[in-house]
Amino acid sequence: RMWGPGGGGGGAATAASNASCGGGGAGGAYLEKWVAVTGGTAYTAQIGAGGAAGANTGGTGGTGTDTTLTIGGTTYTAKAGQGGAGMTAGTSDLGVAGGVGQLSTNGDVNGTGTPGGMGYRHNGNVAFSGPGGVAAIGGSGQGLTSAGNGVSAPANSGGGGSGGLVLAGSAAATGGVGGSGLILIEEFS
């Protein structure tokens, strides 16, 4: 069983008396595969790193690196979640999208990561940031209603980071970092 990493949350820029918010990063995708192997079969594994935090200039969160397991000549890929959108400072109604989940490949079960939540600004004083999408293993960055940097997802959770939040000209805020992926191998004989 494999989980892709989560995407990073979007960043939030600042200006006097303005607000901004970021969308949450998507959760990593799930993959399950049963494989018959013989002794001496070569394999390589890569645990995907979570997506980077969106910059505090309103940058979009990063998409992580996929979690992969190659057995013989076949690569099984649990896809990384995409990053949430960031926002520049302003005072008008505006929403920003969370990251999009992607579909795993070559599994017996190929899941799609949960989308990140949207962020929304109502005016220069009222806004909220998007939560990170939750992966099948659980855990993500919580969305914000108080100004600050986005919350990073726990390590090996596959969850998305939440978006940053600026209210009434508070300090510019980065998004949260996505949680890394995970590979769980169970052996039966």
Side-chain angles (χ1 to χ4, degrees):
R1 292 186 279 173
M2 301 166 54
W3 293 265
T14 192
S17 302
N18 281 217
S20 63
C21 56
Y30 176 74
L31 180 143
E32 187 171 320
K33 179 70 180 178
W34 293 91
V35 181
V37 296
T38 57
T41 300
Y43 68 92
T44 56
Q46 172 182 288
I47 306 297
N56 67 3
T57 55
T60 297
T63 298
T65 55
D66 297 335
T67 295
T68 59
L69 177 64
T70 302
I71 301 173
T74 304
T75 299
Y76 307 96
T77 304
K79 296 295 285 183
Q82 295 181 347
M87 182 186 283
T88 57
T91 58
S92 60
D93 275 322
L94 183 64
V96 290
V100 176
Q102 301 186 79
L103 179 66
S104 292
T105 58
N106 286 336
D108 295 326
V109 176
N110 292 308
T112 300
T114 305
M118 73 171 290
Y120 177 74
R121 177 182 67 212
H122 178 62
N123 56 40
N125 299 304
V126 178
F128 61 85
S129 76
V134 178
I137 200 166
S140 68
Q142 181 176 2
L144 303 176
T145 56
S146 297
N149 292 328
V151 179
S152 296
N156 301 118
S157 69
S162 71
L165 181 62
V166 169
L167 297 172
S170 61
T174 64
V177 177
S180 51
L182 181 68
I183 297 175
L184 176 61
I185 297 174
E186 299 174 273
E187 182 179 350
F188 300 91
S189 57

